[in-house]
Amino acid sequence: MRLSNRRLVAIVTAAVAALSLTTTPAGAVTSSADFYDPPATLPSDNGAIIRHAPSEFFLDPVKLLRAPADVERIMYRSTDTHGDAVAVTGTVLTPKTPWYGAGDRPLIAYAPGTQGLGDQCAPSKALAAGGEYEGPFIAGLLARGYAVVVTDYEGLGTPGVHTYVNRKAEGHAVLDSIRAAQQLPGVPADGPVAIAGYSQGGGASAAAAELQPSYAPELDLKGAYAGAVPADLAAVGRSLDGAYAVGFLMFAVASVNYAYPEPRITDVLNDRGKALEAQVENECTVESIVNHAFTRTTDLTVDGRSIGEYLAEEPYASVVEEQRIGTLEPEVPMYVVHSALDDIVPYEQGRTMARNWCDEGATVQFDTLAVPTHVGGAVAGYPAAFAWLEGRFAGKAAPDNCGEF
């Protein structure tokens, strides 16, 4: 049976809303607003904590299910796309129960998936409000005894536009969140760490693993889980155009315009396109899906060409190429999952990334999922991701199926 566009939007919105209330629910309480305002002068070391304060993590918006962890909201120094200092916020969660495994308690740097661009969408705010759709996975990590740090990325909560799917900015934010977390009580200063994420978070996890040898070589990184990685933004953009999640493509346009102002990508937009781009800068995930589903970018540009066509040409093509993941060999084992039926991030470009890593000599386990939709792939990947991470901290040999996919 063929679904109408309106019916598909309703189904997708309901599915995402069931997992996420990314707009801050009524009555949500966060710390004082000035927590997210950086000081005029930042510390000199990447990962240095600027400030921290007690916070909360609820698994539901009614706040009946409190996660059994000590929670601290943090602001720390990181670096942006161009290597300039930037303040980033996040959340550190430490289980209240002792660690019964061998050695020090492990730390997982969790890279969040698409939250939106508005400051109200920051994961640190959503966790405290009981509205973070990835809360169940994070709670699963805590239940296994791991400490967890969740970055907000550049520009979510803090000043500026969130640099959505920007390889360097996100990778740096993830790696520096580890450095910051290791300065807090309850998290070993030099203990074992791993990285995990899905979708946007899968890209951030993969980028962090690629950048770690040069950016944060001191970390005892055991491996990284990366699900549904948007490794080739050109391919992802073509997939999103005219689809229910086309707002995510506009998130990327806003990100490019902020991180690379010189090409002036917004100059290709007509009045409707400029208004939509300004609107998404203040939207969270569900809002974007509801407000912009099935919009075609040919209706948003001055000359009627798609944004994808523009991004394939200079001066924009080189900016898009800078975001490609799979060109650097991770020095740690990688676990990659991707649904062949993913409706947001094309499967083939994710597999190509994993194959490139194999060609470079990396240890890679790539699993193809056969569940429908992008959201379905996230949920289906949970059990294997938990098992894979457990194996890395147990010191087991990492699986590798290079040459078989």
Side-chain angles (χ1 to χ4, degrees), residues 5 24-25 27 36 55 57 61-62 73 105 148 156 166 185 187 219 237 240 249 283 289 296 311 321 351 371 400:
N5 285 351
T24 305
Y36 293 88
S55 187
F57 172 26
V62 184
R73 185 170 297 169
R105 185 193 297 275
V148 181
L156 270 181
N166 182 295
V187 180
L219 298 180
L240 292 175
L249 173 56
E283 289 180 339
I289 291 175
R296 296 191 176 276
L311 295 180
E321 187 60 25
R351 181 167 66 171
V371 294
D400 185 330

Side-chain angles (χ1 to χ4, degrees), residues 55-57 66-72 93-100 105 141-147 186:
S55 187
E56 298 174 304
F57 172 26
R66 183 190 296 270
D70 293 321
V71 186
E72 287 280 320
L93 308 108
T94 308
K96 292 182 179 295
T97 56
W99 168 247
Y100 293 108
R105 185 193 297 275
L141 296 172
L142 294 171
R144 286 159 174 78
Y146 309 141

Side-chain angles (χ1 to χ4, degrees), residues 112-396:
T114 300
Q115 309 287 307
L117 298 189
D119 283 340
Q120 77 276 15
C121 316
S124 61
K125 296 182 179 182
L127 288 166
E132 176 51 60
Y133 70 92
E134 294 184 289
F137 188 88
I138 295 169
L141 296 172
L142 294 171
R144 286 159 174 78
Y146 309 141
V148 181
V149 58
V150 185
T151 182
D152 286 342
Y153 300 125
E154 177 187 5
L156 270 181
T158 48
V161 177
H162 168 41
T163 44
Y164 181 70
V165 293
N166 182 295
R167 182 176 64 90
K168 287 184 178 179
E170 292 184 345
H172 294 165
V174 170
L175 293 169
D176 286 325
S177 75
I178 298 172
R179 289 166 159 160
Q182 290 180 333
Q183 299 168 48
L184 294 179
V187 180
D190 55 359
V193 299
I195 306 170
Y198 185 88
S199 189
Q200 178 191 4
S205 175
E210 286 191 339
L211 294 169
Q212 181 265 334
S214 59
Y215 188 81
E218 81 281 4
L219 298 180
D220 185 15
L221 186 61
K222 301 299 185 182
Y225 160 64
V229 176
D232 179 354
L233 295 190
V236 178
R238 291 191 295 270
S239 175
L240 292 175
D241 202 338
Y244 71 86
V246 66
F248 300 179
L249 173 56
M250 296 307 295
F251 289 167
V253 170
S255 168
V256 167
N257 188 57
Y258 180 76
Y260 302 88
E262 188 62 31
R264 296 182 62 86
I265 183 64
T266 53
D267 283 355
V268 311
L269 301 176
N270 58 24
D271 289 345
R272 179 186 174 190
K274 290 178 180 178
L276 195 154
E277 188 274 337
Q279 183 177 351
V280 300
E281 288 189 17
N282 296 295
E283 289 180 339
C284 300
T285 302
V286 174
E287 291 172 285
S288 176
I289 291 175
V290 172
N291 292 339
H292 312 300
F294 306 114
T295 299
R296 296 191 176 276
T297 62
T298 51
D299 296 328
L300 304 179
T301 61
V302 174
D303 62 0
R305 298 170 66 206
S306 71
I307 287 177
E309 291 178 89
Y310 278 106
L311 295 180
E313 300 174 354
E314 294 298 350
Y316 314 114
S318 56
V319 171
V320 173
E321 187 60 25
E322 279 187 37
Q323 315 316 319
R324 184 180 295 275
I325 304 171
T327 63
L328 299 173
E329 177 192 350
E331 293 186 356
V332 296
M334 302 297 298
Y335 180 45
V336 183
V337 302
H338 210 135
S339 172
L341 303 175
D342 195 309
D343 56 347
I344 290 183
V345 181
Y347 167 80
E348 192 56 43
Q349 54 89 54
R351 181 167 66 171
T352 297
M353 173 201 70
R355 285 175 169 173
N356 289 342
W357 280 340
C358 288
D359 291 343
E360 293 156 8
T363 299
V364 182
Q365 175 70 29
F366 180 85
D367 285 351
T368 298
L369 305 177
V371 294
T373 78
H374 187 70
V375 174
V379 177
Y382 281 6
F386 287 139
W388 187 88
L389 290 167
E390 182 178 345
R392 304 294 70 73
F393 291 130
K396 297 179 180 178

